[in-house]
Amino acid sequence: MEANRERFPFRNAAQTVSRRAGRMTNLIPWIVALIFGVFWSATYLLLGRMHGMWPMFNSEFPFSTARLFTSHIAELPTALGAFRSRSANMNTLVASGEVAAWLYSTVAFLFPSVFPSQQLAGQFYDVVAVVTALVILGLALEVRAKGKSSEAIKKLIGLQAKTARVVRDGAEKDIPFEEVIVDDIVVVRPGEKVPVDGVVVDGTSSVDESMITGEPIAVEKQSDDEVIGGTINKTGSFKFKAKKVGKDTALAQIIGMVQQAQSSKAPIQRVVDQISGYFAPAVMILGVLAFIIWYDFGPQPNLVFALIVLVTTLVIACPCALGIATPISLMVGVGKGAENGILIRSGAALETAQKLNAIVLDKTGTITKGKPALTDVIAVNGFDENELLGLSASVEKASEHPLAEAIVNGAVERKVQISDTQSFNAIPGKGVEATVNGKHVLLGNSKLMKDAGIEIGTSEEKSRKLAEEGKTPMYVAIDNRFGGIVAVADTVKEDSKSAVAQLQKMGLEVVMLTGDNERTAKAIARQVGITRVFADVLPEDKAHNVQKIQMEGKKVAMVGDGINDAPALAQADIGLAIGTGTDVAIEASDITLIKGNLSGVVAAIDISRATMKNVRQNLFGAFFYNTLGLPVAMGALYPFFGILLSPIIAGAAMAFSSVTVVTNANRLRAYKMKTS
């Protein structure tokens, strides 16, 4: 490690600076505001002392002028650009109000004689100074809130390993993980992070994959098992061959998806942008009308009152809160999802998910585990269950069929002895026969038993019941005597039943879509509480079935994990891919569920609903504030109560509206999502 630091001193220094710069980002607005505050306070005192020596050094004139054109060095060009393009935005309103106040005050200061004596009632440099400070404060709060909203990305980046130990030229050497290339042999020791994705080639260990799966129990790894970059090696040492590096690793893709989603716009944001585009010029027109009315019909000094109303109207109506109402909630919502293993590709997906009426679930690998497992061992005619299972597993050990693997794995889990076979013969369409420890064993379907002249008696009824439950029964005969039944099935995931119940409780119709036969499909559907089933569906027809449900007027989500699910995932209004599935399915989806279980579907829809509810609250607050504030700023209360709003109060209210929106969005951080 020390040698690596010596070889890459500039890289390590750059990484250190980058990390520190990242931590400083949220502090920059506060530092800038502090510097300007100290600088202008010192300038104010200095020029105040010089005022007696030279009247032109009026402390308010240079102070406000310099503050206006330096503190708003980014805002003023933006406002001018909007004017040139015949459009208006939030910067236009604030800049127009402040410049109007500054121009009036400057003319009144430099050329007081141009005003009738009864109309010159003071200058508004304080408005320029205070409103500018409040705008900077509001921007600082927004930047700080957006920085916090990116914490999910920072946490994900923090999971990446910094270095990798690779074998090159027969020797192990430490290199930055970015320099690992495909097919490199990487060595991982206890306690170290796996730097990139790959396949184990030597050694065994247990790896903590909680950052991907959310499961706290370490996963045992041996030769040919996949490992994922960012996971933590717990016990043994192992070597693996790098398969995915750089931006292709699972963790890098997760980070990219979260960044893309947080920077994207939801459809509702586009509507808000359009409204803001009309709102700003409308406010400017209202401000000018208010100025004319107060100038023509207002009390003396009418010019001063008209100017106050104009500036106040422009400042208080600045749609800052409206502009950040949607993005800030989306950033928090997407980050919250990422923290819980839900990768949302875009703001549009997040918005659409809360409108869903129906959820279509693939069976294999989505509702079920996608891998057959031993479920039943029924021994008859005096045979023992362990003996029956041991002989069956011994016969199937030589077979590569998935059902055979399920029987063997079941025997291993139950610690039943498995023996070698002396002879083995596969009988196409019927089953297999073999000799185990001197015993002749037959394992297969009823045709095999019938051809061998073996009576299965009442076990045929038991077999039918097992088949109705979605299981695959197999008959076993030992030395020409019927020994019993072993059954395997693609078992339901532990959380599927509760997840389906929760989805139905949320008002969603849950539908199963599978290529499996109708009897097995309905058996699985009964286990999890689904009543509507599409069975015997060919891969190319899955999208058509999703379309049929959409034609019923429903917003449909499709949940799947296989290549054959990709067309249906793309056809659905929202596609949710199980993260343990194929890359093709994940690419075709809008939301990826890293943990690979249906509770993630519940959580994804719940966070979508909570986020969009938060957006609506923000938009209502922003619109309500502007609707209420405009008449007050235009002087509607003056004829009745003699109240005329100060531009300073308007600036404070504008800043407070942004603070309110940010605070409401941050409530999502503490939101407890529903799970099954």
Side-chain angles (χ1 to χ4, degrees), residues 226-239:
E226 292 184 354
V227 289
I228 303 170
T231 55
I232 302 173
N233 184 30
K234 303 296 286 185
T235 54
S237 297
F238 63 91
K239 295 179 181 179

Side-chain angles (χ1 to χ4, degrees), residues 72 89 98 178 227 247 269 278 303-304 315 338 386 394 420 441 465 470 506 540 546 561 635 637 649 653 658:
H72 285 259
N89 52 37
E98 291 182 342
E178 302 98 324
V227 289
K247 65 180 181 180
Q269 177 62 29
Y278 290 107
L303 178 60
V304 175
V315 171
N386 286 344
S394 299
D420 293 329
V441 182
K465 288 182 179 179
M506 295 169 74
E540 58 267 26
V546 170
D561 72 322
L637 299 179
I649 301 299
S658 295

Side-chain angles (χ1 to χ4, degrees), residues 370-597:
K371 187 176 182 180
L374 180 71
T375 58
D376 299 87
V377 179
I378 303 172
V380 297
N381 294 334
F383 288 101
D384 178 74
E385 284 188 6
N386 286 344
E387 180 186 11
L388 187 71
L389 178 57
L391 290 171
S392 301
S394 299
V395 171
E396 294 286 29
K397 186 175 69 170
S399 173
E400 296 179 353
H401 195 281
L403 299 183
E405 183 182 357
I407 293 173
V408 174
N409 290 340
V412 171
E413 290 173 4
R414 299 189 187 193
K415 298 181 179 179
V416 174
Q417 183 179 355
I418 301 176
S419 305
D420 293 329
T421 57
Q422 282 74 56
S423 65
F424 179 86
N425 180 38
I427 305 173
K430 298 177 182 179
V432 295
E433 65 175 337
T435 302
V436 182
N437 296 331
K439 296 180 179 179
H440 181 254
V441 182
L442 290 172
L443 177 65
N445 56 25
S446 58
K447 291 181 181 179
L448 180 63
M449 298 295 116
K450 186 176 181 180
D451 290 349
I454 297 172
E455 293 291 333
I456 59 177
T458 57
S459 293
E460 189 169 1
E461 181 63 27
K462 294 179 182 178
S463 176
R464 187 179 297 111
K465 288 182 179 179
L466 290 171
E468 289 173 355
E469 294 172 3
K471 301 172 182 178
T472 301
M474 287 170 279
Y475 300 109
V476 184
I478 303 169
D479 290 336
N480 295 320
R481 289 177 58 210
F482 182 63
I485 300 172
V486 290
V488 299
D490 182 9
T491 55
V492 172
K493 292 179 181 178
E494 290 77 6
D495 71 327
S496 291
K497 183 176 181 179
S498 56
V500 169
Q502 187 67 54
L503 289 169
Q504 292 168 337
K505 189 176 179 181
M506 295 169 74
L508 298 163
E509 180 187 12
V510 183
V511 181
M512 180 193 288
L513 182 64
T514 179
D516 210 340
N517 65 77
E518 187 171 1
R519 184 174 63 181
T520 301
K522 287 187 175 180
I524 296 296
R526 282 194 299 270
Q527 290 183 46
V528 296
I530 296 175
T531 56
R532 188 176 182 184
V533 178
F534 292 97
D536 295 308
V537 179
L538 297 174
E540 58 267 26
D541 292 333
K542 284 192 173 184
H544 175 66
N545 280 274
V546 170
Q547 192 176 36
K548 282 172 60 177
I549 302 173
Q550 289 174 320
M551 291 174 67
E552 297 172 7
K554 296 174 181 176
K555 288 280 186 182
V556 181
M558 172 70 193
V559 186
D561 72 322
I563 293 175
N564 60 343
D565 297 321
L569 289 167
Q571 172 63 43
D573 296 283
I574 288 290
L576 295 99
I578 300 296
T580 52
T582 64
D583 292 342
V584 175
I586 292 171
E587 282 298 318
S589 68
D590 302 290
I591 299 174
T592 301
L593 311 174
I594 296 178
K595 296 181 181 179
N597 51 42

Side-chain angles (χ1 to χ4, degrees), residues 132-192:
T132 301
L134 290 170
V135 170
I136 291 175
L137 175 63
L139 291 174
L141 291 172
E142 289 176 24
V143 171
R144 184 170 181 270
K146 289 178 180 178
K148 281 191 172 182
S149 297
S150 299
E151 284 178 0
I153 294 176
K154 293 175 185 175
K155 288 179 181 177
L156 290 171
I157 293 174
L159 293 173
Q160 292 177 323
K162 300 298 183 290
T163 61
R165 184 175 292 106
V166 300
V167 179
R168 289 181 180 172
D169 300 325
E172 295 183 10
K173 58 176 67 176
D174 290 336
I175 62 173
F177 84 98
E178 302 98 324
E179 296 182 10
V180 177
I181 61 176
V182 174
D183 290 335
D184 263 343
I185 300 299
V186 184
V187 181
V188 184
R189 296 173 182 171
E192 293 181 341

Side-chain angles (χ1 to χ4, degrees), residues 217-230:
I217 301 174
V219 180
E220 297 298 322
K221 298 291 182 181
Q222 55 188 2
S223 292
D224 297 328
D225 286 343
E226 292 184 354
V227 289
I228 303 170

